[in-house]
Amino acid sequence: MRHFYYLCFLLLGFLSLPVRAGEANREPEQYTREYIMKDYMTEPDRTLQLLDEAEANSAMPLNIVDELRSVVYRNMYRNKSALHYARRAYVSDSLSHDDPSHLLRMTVAMAELSHLLSEYKESMRYAVQGVELARELKDIQSECKLLFCMGENKRMLSFKEEGYQFFDQAIDLLDNSKNEEYETMLSYFYGVKMGYLIADKRSNDALEIGLQREKLLDKMSKQPEIRADLLDLQFAYVYSKLAYLFQLTGDRERAAVYYKKYQSTNASSTPDGKFDSTPYLLLLGEYQAVLDNCRDFKEVMREQDTLNSQYLTILNLEILANTKLENYKTVINL
């Protein structure tokens, strides 16, 4: 899950080349957010090097450099490092009072990262603080992110119904705005809520919101400004979950159709994309395939700097698959 950013594609040919020592002489005007972050998802180490250069050359304010470092580390599942740099930017903004909008952005980051690190009460503190600022600035997207984060915290603190109320408050605020710029966030919220509904065994509700999300993504795919790679990630997730839900509710034909749609996405061949298919494969009895997909994503998780609920999900799926294969010693170790 992982998800929130839309960046421009600039200087594609040049940026695909390795960084050379001579590039240290880059002109300051080239150190823009778009230039540096263009390939942060696929080339995070290079992006971090560019941010180091920007700091060394004083080409960007340090709070912006730290914000972008946080984004890169978060995408690498290195949430402790992401929180470290988000906090530096947050403290800088809090002391300077120069840019309330950037302070709000970092408050959102602090709330979300604290949640990812299971610091739910701390996350709630940032979220409540941020909602107040978001309303002062009339920033609907930030307000919705924070409301949704409050819902996730409530859910993790065992207040599930209150959590769903916050989810719906955020979703309704976005949906009622009728603003196409908010649709990527709305799609993300649909996906996260769908995942929670599945976990709570509310299959029919999960199916309803999944089909709603598919319809929204189909609409978004006709908008040329929406990045194709981000759409692909979201399509892969919703197709895999719809395949699982239709299989679970007995509609095997529709399940197979959605699984083929999932396989047609580029994301389905990535470690985290393959992991999305494991619930469906488990229902089919494809236990070795489940273990293979868990192994690939587990390697990605082992590169992070913290353990989280996503890693526990991998272990639990491995336990289920190995139990079915009667690998009991492995089950005990897991």
Side-chain angles (χ1 to χ4, degrees), residues 185-324:
M185 188 184 299
L186 180 60
S187 171
Y188 170 76
F189 287 169
Y190 281 160
V192 177
K193 184 181 177 183
M194 182 185 186
Y196 286 137
L197 289 168
I198 291 172
D200 292 338
K201 303 187 186 307
R202 294 171 57 177
S203 302
N204 290 332
D205 290 336
L207 261 177
E208 181 181 347
I209 200 169
L211 292 170
Q212 202 172 347
R213 187 186 194 195
E214 181 190 19
K215 184 177 178 181
L216 176 61
L217 287 171
D218 285 337
K219 177 188 173 188
M220 290 167 59
S221 67
K222 298 178 175 63
Q223 299 170 18
E225 67 274 14
I226 304 292
R227 276 181 53 169
D229 55 345
L230 296 181
L231 275 174
D232 184 80
L233 287 170
Q234 296 191 48
F235 271 123
Y237 179 87
V238 75
Y239 288 155
S240 67
K241 295 299 176 281
L242 287 172
Y244 166 77
L245 287 166
F246 278 119
Q247 185 73 20
L248 187 68
T249 54
D251 194 339
R252 297 179 179 179
E253 288 186 9
R254 289 188 77 179
V257 167
Y258 275 104
Y259 188 65
K260 285 184 178 178
K261 287 185 175 184
Y262 156 78
Q263 289 179 309
S264 72
T265 64
N266 294 325
S268 67
S269 61
T270 65
D272 44 350
K274 286 193 289 186
F275 183 70
D276 286 339
S277 70
T278 50
Y280 175 71
L281 295 172
L282 197 64
L283 287 182
L284 292 185
E286 299 287 344
Y287 304 124
Q288 189 56 52
V290 170
L291 293 175
D292 291 342
N293 290 354
C294 283
R295 183 190 63 244
D296 290 346
F297 194 38
K298 200 173 185 178
E299 290 304 312
V300 175
M301 289 286 101
R302 282 174 172 163
E303 295 175 3
Q304 65 180 352
D305 58 7
T306 183
L307 298 178
N308 56 31
S309 59
Q310 200 166 31
Y311 190 80
L312 293 176
T313 301
I314 299 171
L315 297 181
N316 284 323
L317 280 168
E318 288 182 317
I319 288 170
L320 289 172
N322 277 292
T323 300
K324 293 293 186 180

Side-chain angles (χ1 to χ4, degrees), residues 85-126:
Y85 287 108
R87 181 180 284 116
R88 290 207 328 185
Y90 171 83
V91 169
S92 175
D93 290 344
S94 299
L95 293 174
S96 69
H97 303 289
D98 289 338
D99 189 348
S101 294
H102 195 263
L103 173 61
L104 175 59
R105 188 151 69 239
M106 300 322 301
T107 305
V108 172
M110 291 298 295
E112 292 176 343
L113 287 163
S114 296
H115 172 83
L116 289 174
L117 291 166
S118 302
E119 299 288 346
Y120 305 124
K121 291 182 180 179
E122 186 77 354
S123 174
M124 189 65 80
R125 182 175 68 82
Y126 284 112

Side-chain angles (χ1 to χ4, degrees), residues 171-190:
I171 287 170
D172 289 345
L173 189 55
L174 286 178
D175 199 19
N176 293 335
S177 70
K178 306 300 180 186
N179 190 329
E180 287 188 350
E181 293 181 3
Y182 300 166
E183 288 179 345
T184 300
M185 188 184 299
L186 180 60
S187 171
Y188 170 76
F189 287 169
Y190 281 160

